[in-house]
Amino acid sequence: MQLQLQQLGVHENLLSKAEKEFLQTEGYLNLGKLLTDETVAVLRAKIQELLEEEGDRAGIELMQSPNIRHPKEPGSERLGDLVNKGAAFDLFYTHPKVLAAISWVLGTSFKLSSLNFRSALPGAGLQKLHVDWPEAVKNGDFQVCNSIWLLDDFHQENGATRVVPGTHLKSTLPQEEMDNAMDSHPDEIVIEAPAGSVIVFNSHTWHGGTNNQTSSARRAIHSYFCRRDQVQQTNQRQYIRPATLERISQEGAYLLGLND
């Protein structure tokens, strides 16, 4: 896979030494504003178009997957399988700096697991602290890593993601240490960053959504990756459309797990 990553412009110097150390020790990393305001506006419009077009079936792909534990919780809007819903979404699994961060966590043998949209609606969005793997892992044998692409500013009041730094290195899960994983953790932080930013986090780090206390939805896209030998949340071979195959590069197809 090293060759495919190189052809996409991925190399070890895309992350600074400080960024690598922070991601390694804290379990998450703000990569900064990778999307322009113009691109964010285009994506917001595309997402709204898809939500209106799909209506009650929005997010149906998440419901169909046996490998997604939180397919469509109340108080949120969801869209699934964005890989097949327009060229605007190709960037979300091919951006060199994001792939460099994913590779720093998972090594060079990984693939996209799913590419989905989630918004926390006003008065909702609170999730229990959780990890995206059924058990704690040992010796840094990480299996999954996520990236959150912010379509709105993230802040304390609008349902931004909370993380408990360093917990990817623990040998326990939130429900094993906490009386109620819905509660705040004394060490948690809420991610605050402007729209267009991308946050990568080791998905073994304890994390969850917070309650949106504003009058507007808090929108984000998640490009979620897994080790290459793991089962994808969205079976890309099952869902891939001819038009998508014609559009994407061989490297893109490889990252989707469509070829060896």
Side-chain angles (χ1 to χ4, degrees):
M1 185 175 185
Q2 191 66 45
L3 176 60
Q4 287 84 359
L5 291 175
Q6 289 175 352
Q7 290 172 334
L8 286 166
V10 181
H11 55 85
E12 63 178 16
N13 293 331
L14 285 177
L15 295 183
S16 68
K17 180 181 178 181
E19 287 176 321
K20 291 175 182 177
E21 290 178 350
F22 191 91
L23 179 55
Q24 187 169 350
T25 59
E26 303 300 309
Y28 73 99
L29 177 66
N30 184 348
L31 294 178
K33 192 166 180 174
L34 301 186
L35 300 175
T36 65
D37 292 342
E38 293 76 15
T39 299
V40 170
V42 169
L43 289 166
R44 287 171 177 167
K46 179 63 175 176
I47 289 294
Q48 187 58 37
E49 175 187 320
L50 288 170
L51 288 169
E52 293 174 2
E53 177 184 311
E54 297 186 17
D56 292 341
R57 291 182 58 81
I60 188 67
E61 301 90 349
L62 309 177
M63 302 295 291
Q64 293 169 342
S65 172
N67 303 310
I68 295 180
R69 289 186 291 165
H70 308 286
K72 196 171 183 181
E73 71 267 44
S76 69
E77 292 180 313
R78 300 296 300 267
L79 289 168
D81 188 32
L82 293 180
V83 166
N84 289 299
K85 296 180 181 178
F89 301 113
D90 293 348
L91 178 68
F92 290 82
Y93 60 94
T94 60
H95 193 288
K97 188 162 187 177
V98 173
L99 294 178
I102 301 296
S103 180
W104 184 244
V105 174
L106 298 182
T108 58
S109 182
F110 62 87
K111 60 189 174 184
L112 184 77
S113 183
S114 60
L115 181 59
N116 305 319
F117 164 81
R118 178 182 182 267
S119 70
L121 298 177
L126 181 63
Q127 296 175 317
K128 65 175 64 176
L129 285 170
H130 63 279
V131 301
D132 297 330
W133 195 250
E135 58 191 10
V137 298
K138 297 179 180 180
N139 303 320
D141 189 24
F142 303 124
Q143 304 294 316
V144 284
C145 189
N146 208 348
S147 59
I148 311 176
W149 301 66
L150 281 55
L151 300 187
D152 292 298
D153 297 345
F154 270 37
H155 53 79
Q156 292 277 347
E157 290 76 35
N158 74 341
T161 303
R162 56 180 175 147
V163 299
V164 185
T167 46
H168 60 302
L169 304 175
K170 296 174 71 71
S171 58
T172 54
L173 300 176
Q175 63 270 24
E176 296 170 345
E177 285 197 17
M178 301 177 67
D179 293 334
N180 186 351
M182 297 292 284
D183 292 342
S184 295
H185 189 281
D187 298 327
E188 75 179 34
I189 64 150
V190 174
I191 292 172
E192 297 189 275
S197 302
V198 180
I199 313 297
V200 168
F201 68 93
N202 183 321
S203 296
H204 300 272
T205 305
W206 301 6
H207 65 279
T210 60
N211 193 48
N212 183 353
Q213 303 171 58
T214 72
S215 58
S216 301
R218 193 277 296 145
R219 298 163 290 185
I221 290 175
H222 298 246
S223 53
Y224 176 69
F225 295 83
C226 63
R227 291 259 290 265
R228 205 157 180 87
D229 58 351
Q230 297 301 330
V231 176
Q232 294 164 312
Q233 286 189 335
T234 299
N235 185 330
Q236 304 297 336
R237 291 177 184 266
Q238 175 186 344
Y239 281 94
I240 200 69
R241 299 177 186 175
T244 305
L245 274 178
E246 291 177 9
R247 181 184 74 241
I248 64 177
S249 65
Q250 289 185 346
E251 293 77 23
Y254 186 82
L255 281 167
L256 295 177
L258 301 177
N259 52 42
D260 298 324

